[in-house]
Amino acid sequence: MEEVILPHIGTVAAWRETARGLAARGVPAEAVLWRVGEAAPDLFGPDLFDGMAAPQAAPVTLTLPRATLGEIECALHHSDPERFARAYDIVLRLSRGDLRWGDREDPALHRLIAQAKHVRRDIHKMHAFVRFREITAEDANRRAFAAWFEPDHPIVEPATPFFAKRFGDMDWVIATPSLTARFEAGQLSYSETEDRSPPPEDATEELWRTYFTHIFNPARLMVKAMTSEMPRKYWKNLPEAQLIPEMIRQAPARARAMQDAMPTPKAALADRLRPAPKELPEEITLETMKPALDACRRCAIGPCATQGVAGEGPASARVMVVGEQPGEQEDLKGRPFIGPAGQLFDQCARAARLDRERIWLTNAVKHFKFTPRGKQRLHQAPNAGEVKACRWWLDLERQLIKPDLVVAMGATAAASLTGTGKGLVERAGQIETLPDGTPCLITYHPAHLLRLPDPQLAQARQAAFTASLRRAADWPLA
């Protein structure tokens, strides 16, 4: 009987090398006792077999597909103490041709595949529920953060490279009951955990709790689904979790209040189709437009977005530039054109001598419409009804600014201002007249330029877009 003691750090890599050596010497699976670290002596350990010759078999060269080996090594991060012996037996049988990968009728293989699934789920939970708290850094020029997490399985080594890639510009520590991962000056290292106390709260946690309270929708509460995705065992290390029991208790009453406050379908439809007022509402000005937009429910986008995004610029602006809708960055920060499309707009505007500080920059739709894809929010174009509902706000901005020229960037802006967004390629660079007599310059949207797959076409249309902005910059101030 051979005893193999694997280290706490680099356990799977050590198992891999040891398994290759044992297989090359023809040591069968039943002749190996696997341990991790300095484990206590086993009742049936090697001492019981002193003086007995270890059984031998024909040498085996371990040759496995990369995907198969990856699945096996994933399962080795499970907490099952028998995982190493089971995996060694499986790789021997796979290499000899006695077992086919994926054969779930084999109990050992079936169990290994199931354990790999449990490990991946545990890694996913760690990625989702680690909460960093800012701590004092040794280097005053870098920020440092610490987190405490209690996984079900020893997953620190396979799970933490994700954090190194995502938070590579800061130093951090993630401690678990067994191992601690440290990322300092761009280097990831591991050590056995000595201090098992969570880091103290920092100043951002109260801000996070406030945000969590505001985005909580009581009408969509499903406690069973929530606790399935966010098990209660993780709650003690989540700053927002202390709010959840009371929010669940209040959810039915809050949902009924929201339902009572909703207009009837007929009234809601009438509100959406209501035209812009002939007289300027005294209660809405350029200064009060932002909070009014935050509360706007003229269409279905408003309740889903983080906030409304008002236009910005001087009230005396002679040129108004209108885009489609806020993107994710604009939705989070509350300012128009600060994402990738906004950066391209700034680049072209500088080339056209169009000073962003002297124009009014806004969007036809004031809230971010998106489709959720996991943790991402993918841009979704507003439909005709949503554009029509939000035109009330754009008309209000035009009444307040009274620009000499309006620039419509893209089909959505053109549809909101002129009534149609069709034929944009033919209309780009042309001046059209709006119903109130204001000239409107039609051009491309910078996001459209970023999405063009043909570099030559993208370059040509960017040049046309810059020319349109130059024309706007030179527009006579009548």
Side-chain angles (χ1 to χ4, degrees), residues 182-195:
R182 296 179 182 276
F183 188 77
E184 297 176 333
Q187 297 296 319
L188 182 60
S189 62
Y190 303 97
S191 61
E192 295 190 34
T193 300
E194 296 179 359
D195 185 0

Side-chain angles (χ1 to χ4, degrees), residues 150-366:
E150 300 176 21
D152 292 330
H153 307 289
I155 59 167
V156 173
E157 291 181 86
T160 49
F162 164 85
F163 297 99
K165 182 177 180 180
R166 187 167 186 178
F167 304 112
D169 59 341
M170 67 187 196
D171 294 340
W172 50 260
V173 174
I174 301 177
T176 71
S178 57
L179 293 184
T180 295
R182 296 179 182 276
F183 188 77
E184 297 176 333
Q187 297 296 319
L188 182 60
S189 62
Y190 303 97
S191 61
E192 295 190 34
T193 300
E194 296 179 359
D195 185 0
R196 289 176 169 77
S197 58
E201 288 194 10
D202 63 11
T204 63
E205 294 198 10
E206 188 59 36
L207 180 62
W208 169 246
R209 281 190 282 263
T210 301
Y211 173 75
F212 184 78
T213 302
H214 280 78
I215 65 172
F216 177 77
N217 188 343
R220 296 184 177 182
L221 175 65
M222 293 184 289
V223 177
K224 187 175 180 181
M226 181 183 68
T227 53
S228 173
E229 290 300 317
M230 186 171 66
R232 294 179 185 272
K233 64 165 288 184
Y234 301 113
W235 287 19
K236 61 182 179 180
N237 295 316
L238 300 177
E240 68 271 23
Q242 57 188 269
L243 306 174
I244 294 177
E246 181 63 18
M247 295 170 74
I248 292 175
R249 188 186 68 79
Q250 295 179 357
R254 289 181 60 191
R256 284 194 297 271
M258 290 171 60
Q259 188 172 12
D260 293 341
M262 291 178 63
T264 62
K266 184 176 180 180
L269 180 61
D271 183 65
R272 288 191 185 190
L273 301 180
R274 186 178 299 141
K278 295 181 180 179
E279 298 297 330
L280 189 66
E282 295 181 357
E283 67 274 14
I284 300 181
T285 65
L286 292 178
E287 291 73 23
T288 62
M289 184 174 293
K290 175 64 169 68
L293 279 172
D294 290 340
C296 178
R297 298 297 181 265
R298 294 180 67 85
C299 73
I301 306 178
C304 303
T306 305
Q307 59 187 313
V309 180
E312 66 177 25
S316 59
R318 296 305 181 190
V319 175
M320 174 183 284
V321 180
V322 183
E324 181 194 69
Q325 67 166 352
E328 183 173 34
Q329 294 299 317
E330 291 83 357
D331 172 74
L332 294 174
K333 297 182 181 179
R335 295 187 58 211
F337 285 90
I338 59 172
Q343 295 170 16
L344 180 58
F345 172 82
D346 289 341
Q347 174 187 333
C348 296
R350 285 192 297 269
R353 304 185 304 277
L354 180 66
D355 188 353
R356 177 166 174 158
E357 301 301 321
R358 299 181 62 183
I359 65 173
W360 185 263
L361 190 57
T362 189
N363 283 294
V365 175
K366 310 302 185 185

